[in-house]
Amino acid sequence: MTDVAEDFDLVVLGGGSGGYAAALRGAQLGLRTAMIERHKLGGTCLHNGCIPAKALLHAAEIADRARDAQLFGVMATFESIDMPAVLRYKDETVDGLCKGLTGLVKARDITYIEGEGRLASPTSVDVNGRRIQGRHVLLATGSVPKSLPGLEIDGNRIISSDHALVLDRVPKSAIILGGGVIGVEFASAWKSFGADVTVVEGLKHLVPVEDENSSKLLERAFRKRGIKFNLGTFFSEAEYTQDGVKVILADGKEFEAEVLLVAVGRGPVSQGLGYEEAGVAMDRGYVLVDEYMRTNVPTISAVGDLVPTLQLAHVGFAEGILVAERLAGLKVVPIEYDGVPRVTYCQPEVASVGITEAKAKEIYGADKVVALKYNLARNGKSKILSTSGEIKLVQVKDGAVVGVHMVGDRMGEQVGEAQLIYNWKALPAEVAQLIHAYPTQNEALGEAHLALAGKPLHTHD
């Protein structure tokens, strides 16, 4: 290996959300920064996750609007999905964002190296025959789709989300193994595109980490849309049939479809990258960190999907910024992960921040928790949009709101205020004093807090 002449303050291994956020913020604070990425700048979120998936979901929304246009007095018809054209739209969106990010990295004078990097020591990374030295190394190598024991993802009939994002046709039928965020988003998009979809989830609800009320609302909406699902029984095996694939569950129930999408989560990319050899503590492939994203090796930090925190791009951003600011000598505050907004972009959307009602009762006691549901049917803008759903507030009795859980179209756009309510430990009466624009869906948050504060306006007991 040939050492690079200059020493860096920060060497970032991985150019995804957490890695590039650290690099951009570090360079902004005067740290000499190098960033190494084996694939494309932007990582999973930009190229194989958030952005391309949401582009498909937007195309799916347009398809649904075309089908329903006459309900709004618009004479339009839905003909078909041109999947290659949808993929072009998706790719153009991704490429535009990637070019913008590349420009940002260049403008900050970050040394960007494309290649397969490997941790060589607690203060260096090997890439393309060069050894990049740094005062500190940040590990941000991300994640890849997981499978289950005995289930091989072959990219043909048994596919991962990576394959689904580039599939040049709409499958006639699909089984989706996993009812979490990835599974229900693809179920929603493919159903809008015209596929016959069945979701198989081993736990008792779809989106099982959400408040149970949100899960039930989504299940009701999926039934109405004709999306089938089987809950509470785990996967046993899968096999090829003459025309597709068969899935067999632990109770012997069988499902057949053209393709099987395995959406059982994502696992960390850490194997063979020199982490353990450098003495980095790990668990099941994840790099272990403290609340300041520090590993047990003083010169190494880790962020993003590589560590066992929420696998969300905006969490990676925040973790990367925290590391850069800590290394620059700024005072930093650990991330409160319950206060991170979470959105599932299916139709209807599921958005939340804070803790569930069940968790609140576990922490504070059942008699100390108050929950209120506000039906979106009472909201003028939601009525105009022909969406249904609820906003559920979870409050500590006579205290702050500790959970906001929303189901309905565009609820992801309302989670920003919900985040402030939770993180600023707002009382219902304090939020009720704020004036929300009419008619907006955002107004529904205000109305819900008016009701919780004991002075409902457009609701009654």
Side-chain angles (χ1 to χ4, degrees):
M1 290 290 172
T2 302
D3 288 352
V4 170
E6 65 263 50
D7 281 332
F8 293 94
D9 296 307
L10 174 62
V11 177
V12 182
L13 181 55
S17 302
Y20 82 68
L24 289 172
R25 184 62 176 139
Q28 190 178 52
L29 293 170
L31 301 179
R32 289 178 58 84
T33 303
M35 180 166 54
I36 299 155
E37 168 57 44
R38 67 176 180 174
H39 181 48
K40 293 180 181 179
L41 187 58
T44 293
C45 175
L46 181 52
H47 298 282
N48 301 99
C50 317
I51 298 300
K54 278 52 180 180
L56 295 186
L57 284 159
H58 182 59
E61 179 185 4
I62 292 173
D64 287 334
R65 286 303 184 191
R67 289 187 181 95
D68 297 338
Q70 294 187 33
L71 297 176
F72 305 94
V74 178
M75 295 300 103
T77 57
F78 172 79
E79 295 183 6
S80 64
I81 296 294
D82 181 349
M83 206 61 203
V86 171
L87 295 182
R88 284 195 299 273
Y89 149 69
K90 176 209 48 151
D91 292 341
E92 287 169 1
T93 303
V94 170
D95 290 346
L97 290 170
C98 187
K99 287 176 182 176
L101 180 57
T102 301
L104 271 177
V105 168
K106 185 177 181 180
R108 298 274 173 90
D109 290 326
I110 296 166
T111 299
Y112 177 65
I113 304 166
E114 193 169 298
E116 187 83 32
R118 187 179 189 278
L119 187 66
S121 77
T123 55
S124 64
V125 174
D126 289 345
V127 58
N128 301 340
R130 304 160 64 190
R131 177 154 292 168
I132 313 299
Q133 297 282 350
R135 178 169 62 89
H136 199 89
V137 176
L138 174 62
L139 307 179
T141 44
S143 64
V144 291
K146 290 195 302 187
S147 187
L148 297 175
L151 179 59
E152 181 183 353
I153 297 175
D154 56 24
N156 182 10
R157 301 184 196 177
I158 303 176
I159 64 176
S160 71
S161 57
D162 286 354
H163 302 115
L165 287 170
V166 297
L167 196 64
D168 62 359
R169 71 187 191 283
V170 178
K172 292 180 180 178
S173 57
I175 299 166
I176 298 178
L177 184 58
V181 172
I182 297 172
V184 300
E185 287 188 350
F186 273 103
S188 184
W190 278 349
K191 180 62 179 180
S192 297
F193 289 161
D196 180 29
V197 180
T198 302
V199 181
V200 173
E201 168 56 54
L203 299 179
K204 64 179 182 178
H205 286 296
L206 297 178
V207 287
V209 301
E210 295 291 343
D211 189 272
E212 186 172 325
N213 185 66
S214 294
S215 295
K216 289 180 177 178
L217 287 169
L218 180 63
E219 289 160 14
R220 184 189 307 166
F222 270 21
R223 287 190 194 98
K224 189 174 180 180
R225 293 185 61 195
I227 298 173
K228 299 185 287 291
F229 48 88
N230 190 90
L231 306 173
T233 306
F234 287 98
F235 167 87
S236 177
E237 60 182 300
E239 60 186 43
Y240 271 19
T241 63
Q242 182 175 347
D243 300 315
V245 62
K246 178 193 293 184
V247 168
I248 305 169
L249 303 187
D251 62 359
K253 191 178 293 185
E254 298 181 354
F255 299 90
E256 291 191 29
E258 180 184 335
V259 296
L260 167 62
L261 169 60
V262 181
V264 293
R266 299 182 64 87
V269 176
S270 59
Q271 189 173 5
L273 296 179
Y275 297 170
E276 291 175 301
E277 292 86 337
V280 176
M282 302 179 70
D283 179 34
R284 295 172 293 120
Y286 290 100
V287 172
L288 300 179
V289 294
D290 66 9
E291 68 270 31
Y292 294 101
M293 314 315 297
R294 299 176 296 199
T295 73
N296 61 309
V297 180
T299 55
I300 299 176
S301 297
V303 298
D305 289 359
L306 183 63
V307 302
T309 57
L310 292 173
Q311 290 188 332
L312 299 169
H314 43 288
V315 168
F317 295 150
E319 291 173 344
I321 291 168
L322 186 153
V323 170
E325 292 183 348
R326 172 169 57 79
L327 295 177
L330 301 183
K331 183 180 179 180
V332 295
V333 178
I335 296 165
E336 184 189 348
Y337 290 98
D338 284 338
V340 172
R342 305 170 296 272
V343 185
T344 304
Y345 294 89
C346 51
Q347 196 281 317
E349 290 182 352
V350 179
S352 62
V353 67
I355 60 177
T356 65
E357 181 181 359
K359 186 68 174 177
K361 288 179 176 178
E362 180 183 319
I363 294 172
Y364 301 104
D367 60 333
K368 300 294 185 182
V369 173
V370 177
L372 179 139
K373 299 175 185 178
Y374 179 86
N375 193 326
L376 288 181
R378 299 168 182 153
N379 175 254
K381 188 58 180 288
S382 295
K383 197 76 171 177
I384 291 167
L385 295 172
S386 293
T387 187
S388 59
E390 285 181 356
I391 292 177
K392 177 179 176 179
L393 304 179
V394 180
Q395 178 200 13
V396 178
K397 191 174 183 179
D398 299 323
V401 173
V402 296
V404 181
H405 306 277
M406 303 179 285
V407 177
D409 289 353
R410 306 186 185 183
M411 286 298 103
E413 302 301 325
Q414 309 310 318
V415 80
E417 183 181 0
Q419 176 185 207
L420 298 180
I421 291 167
Y422 173 84
N423 284 290
W424 289 350
K425 297 177 172 56
L427 301 176
E430 293 172 329
V431 182
Q433 289 177 341
L434 302 175
I435 299 174
H436 294 74
Y438 176 89
T440 63
Q441 288 186 290
N442 182 240
E443 177 197 1
L445 265 176
E447 290 273 358
H449 283 83
L450 279 166
L452 194 56
K455 48 180 183 180
L457 184 60
H458 293 102
T459 60
H460 55 78
D461 295 332

